[in-house]
């Protein structure tokens, strides 16, 4: 483990994956922030980080306007990534592969929810269309739609992007601007006598590091970090499965990221296809539990794929993995902002599967909050921790 260079930092970020790196970068990119930043990451390989297991998808199809706006900024940011990072010629320009998202409804209740969501998205300028079964069949004749009555679809700035490019360059550029990324682990925190501030963090190697602000960027382990400051929060690790497969008879066009009523989703993945799902028993798991249940592919996913798309009866599994969602059990929305009692403890947690696509807007907003004490661009206050303390749920219905 590495020792910190200084005894005090203006900002200590616990966790160095996508959100630790995003907040660090956006702080360095804010002309009004001139403080010191320490990012503490327990595993610099990021082997088990949610960032490493992401499917890197992006959509505007959310049920809450704030989440639509967050993704729309991400679209602009991805499309202009090099420019946002100063025009450095070393920086690659990622693309958005807009094969789209397609939500399928097999009952009138969900179809009505899709119609309402489409109105919200369209009011924000998104290209979402509400489609009948016949319209879906005309656009994508390979689906079996006997049980489907409607769907929502958008191929404008929805699909896949290389999220690892954002992560890699945020981290790299933050380091070049003086941010310290430390291979170590925060194991405890000291609060002041009143319990209203975290004064220092204690590292596994024994050092005590003073801090002005602490940022919880610990992904599925967010609760463990919060408890060090005497804080409880509704975030737990939940398993999510991803499968990459080849089809004997490939489809004649891109497969949108299709959310089947069963809970299985599927999409184009270059020359292959990708599918994913939660386990049937979708409860909290141990932080170190990444064991796979191999029956899920044979008994659940493959039969659903072959039923929805008959051409997928003849497919071959090429790869699979298990990752963890940082699942917000309260309302499946991000938890942001400062704690209501421990004023210098800041959250970037609980994304419930859509964290990567939200990282540009939330990294920027969190940097503004630390610098100015308020959001200056996109108002993220509906996602602040205060709603948790007040028991005021802000539910995002479009969670995959």
């Amino acid at each position: 483990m590495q020792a910190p260079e200084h005894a005090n930092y203006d900002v200590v970020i616990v966790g160095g994956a996508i959100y630790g790196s995003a907040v660090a970068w956006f702080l360095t990119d804010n002309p009004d922030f001139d403080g010191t930043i320490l990012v503490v990451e327990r595993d610099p390989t990021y082997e088990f980080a949610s960032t490493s297991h992401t499917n890197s998808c992006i959509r505007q199809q959310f049920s809450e306007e704030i989440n639509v706006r967050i993704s729309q900024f991400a679209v602009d940011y991805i499309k202009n990534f090099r420019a946002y990072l100063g025009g450095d010629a070393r920086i690659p320009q990622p693309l958005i592969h807009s094969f789209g998202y397609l939500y399928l409804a097999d009952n009138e209740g969900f179809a009505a929810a899709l119609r309402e969501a489409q109105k919200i998205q369209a009011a924000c300028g998104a290209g979402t269309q509400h489609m009948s079964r016949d319209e879906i069949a005309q656009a994508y004749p390979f689906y079996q739609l006997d049980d489907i009555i409607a769907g929502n679809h958008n191929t404008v700035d929805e699909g896949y992007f290389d999220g690892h490019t954002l992560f890699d360059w945020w981290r790299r550029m933050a380091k070049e601007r003086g941010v310290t990324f430390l291979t170590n682990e925060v194991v405890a925190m000291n609060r002041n006598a009143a319990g209203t501030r975290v004064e220092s963090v204690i590292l596994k190697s024994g050092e005590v590091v003073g801090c002005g602000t602490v940022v919880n960027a610990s992904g599925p382990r967010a609760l463990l970090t919060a408890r060090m400051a005497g804080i409880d929060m509704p975030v737990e690790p939940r398993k999510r499965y991803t499968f990459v497969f080849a089809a004997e008879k490939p489809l004649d066009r891109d497969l949108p990221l299709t959310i089947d009523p069963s809970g299985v989703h599927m999409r184009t993945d270059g020359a292959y296809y990708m599918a994913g799902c939660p386990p049937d028993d979708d409860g909290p798991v141990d932080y170190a539990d990444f064991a796979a249940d191999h029956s899920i592919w044979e008994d659940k996913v493959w039969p659903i794929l072959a039923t929805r798309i008959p051409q997928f009866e003849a497919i071959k599994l090429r790869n699979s993995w298990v990752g963890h969602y940082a699942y917000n059990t309260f309302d499946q929305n991000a938890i942001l902002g400062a704690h209501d009692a421990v004023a210098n403890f800041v959250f970037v947690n609980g994304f419930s599967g859509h964290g990567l696509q939200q990282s540009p807007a939330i990294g920027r907003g969190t940097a503004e909050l630390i610098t100015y004490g308020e959001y200056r661009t996109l108002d993220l206050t509906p996602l602040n921790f205060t709603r948790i303390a007040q028991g005021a749920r802000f539910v995002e219905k479009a969670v995959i």
Side-chain angles (χ1 to χ4, degrees):
M1 290 193 176
Q2 299 171 325
E5 183 178 353
H6 305 294
N8 296 277
Y9 289 85
D10 294 297
V11 179
V12 173
I13 301 173
V14 185
I18 190 71
Y19 272 93
S21 296
V23 173
W25 158 254
F26 278 100
L27 281 169
T28 68
D29 199 45
N30 189 315
D32 295 320
F33 179 85
D34 61 358
T36 53
I37 305 168
L38 174 68
V39 180
V40 184
E41 172 53 49
R42 58 195 296 273
D43 178 14
T45 71
Y46 301 96
E47 180 182 3
F48 297 109
S50 296
T51 302
S52 300
H53 295 136
T54 180
N55 293 344
S56 288
C57 294
I58 187 165
R59 59 186 162 108
Q60 297 169 66
Q61 291 192 62
F62 288 95
S63 65
E64 294 296 334
E65 178 181 344
I66 185 63
N67 286 329
V68 180
R69 300 292 187 192
I70 286 170
S71 283
Q72 288 176 328
F73 174 68
V75 166
D76 179 69
Y77 195 87
I78 294 163
K79 287 182 172 181
N80 298 283
F81 183 61
R82 182 181 296 161
Y84 272 111
L85 267 69
D88 192 322
R90 297 174 300 163
I91 298 171
Q93 179 54 61
L95 301 174
I96 297 176
H97 301 275
S98 294
F99 46 70
Y101 271 65
L102 175 60
Y103 284 81
L104 297 175
D106 62 353
N107 63 79
E108 186 51 47
F110 188 43
L114 290 179
R115 282 192 291 271
E116 289 304 308
Q118 188 273 337
K119 293 176 183 176
I120 293 169
Q121 295 152 22
C124 295
T128 311
Q129 300 294 320
H130 187 72
M131 301 174 71
S132 69
R133 175 172 57 193
D134 289 346
E135 288 171 329
I136 297 169
Q138 184 175 6
Y140 300 102
F142 48 72
Y143 289 122
Q144 184 283 113
L145 298 169
D146 290 349
D147 59 328
I148 300 302
I149 62 173
N152 273 9
H153 186 34
N154 181 15
T155 57
V156 180
D157 295 330
E158 289 199 350
Y160 165 84
F161 72 103
D162 183 4
H164 293 287
T165 294
L166 272 65
F167 168 48
D168 181 47
W169 281 95
W170 279 341
R171 183 179 51 167
R172 186 181 305 191
M173 296 294 282
K175 287 180 178 179
E176 290 183 6
R177 291 189 175 187
V179 175
T180 299
F181 278 72
L182 192 70
T183 301
N184 212 309
E185 185 175 356
V186 174
V187 295
M189 297 182 186
N190 295 317
R191 288 184 292 170
N192 62 5
T196 57
R197 296 185 65 83
V198 175
E199 293 187 326
S200 60
V201 302
I202 302 172
L203 302 179
K204 191 172 185 178
S205 52
E207 293 87 353
V208 178
V209 180
C211 53
T213 300
V214 174
V215 178
N216 184 351
S218 303
R221 304 174 71 90
L223 176 59
L224 300 181
T225 298
R227 283 178 171 167
M228 296 177 199
I231 297 168
D232 197 17
M233 63 184 305
V235 175
E236 62 188 27
R238 292 195 180 186
K239 284 185 179 180
R240 290 296 181 269
Y241 285 76
T242 299
F243 304 94
V244 177
F245 62 94
E248 184 177 298
K249 297 179 180 179
L251 305 176
D252 65 353
R253 63 201 75 186
D254 284 340
L255 173 62
L257 197 152
T258 306
I259 299 92
D260 190 81
S262 64
V264 171
H265 57 85
M266 62 199 86
R267 69 166 173 88
T268 288
D269 187 47
Y272 297 109
Y273 300 94
M274 180 178 285
C277 67
D280 290 333
D281 181 15
D282 187 20
V285 298
D286 187 84
Y287 295 100
D289 180 7
F290 290 88
D293 178 353
H294 298 288
S295 70
I296 287 179
W297 169 253
E298 292 285 344
D299 298 341
K300 178 180 180 179
V301 177
W302 192 347
I304 289 170
L305 296 177
T307 299
R308 184 60 61 206
I309 302 177
Q311 276 180 247
F312 283 171
E313 284 197 14
I315 57 178
K316 184 175 183 180
L317 186 64
R318 293 293 188 183
N319 193 15
S320 65
W321 60 87
V322 178
H324 285 176
Y325 269 11
Y327 193 84
N328 172 4
T329 61
F330 184 67
D331 59 12
Q332 292 79 65
N333 257 317
I335 301 172
L336 309 178
H339 188 256
D340 55 324
V342 186
N344 68 332
F345 189 96
V346 174
F347 302 89
V348 281
N349 306 114
F351 296 97
S352 304
H354 42 272
L356 196 79
Q357 65 188 291
Q358 295 193 325
S359 56
I362 288 172
R364 177 187 64 174
T366 301
E368 291 170 352
L369 186 70
I370 292 169
T371 304
Y372 306 116
E374 64 180 4
Y375 302 116
R376 290 281 179 94
T377 48
L378 186 61
D379 184 7
L380 302 174
T381 53
L383 301 173
N384 278 359
F385 179 86
T386 50
R387 77 182 193 279
I388 309 292
Q390 295 167 359
R393 297 173 76 221
F394 183 64
V395 178
E396 173 54 58
K397 298 174 184 176
V399 174
I400 299 173

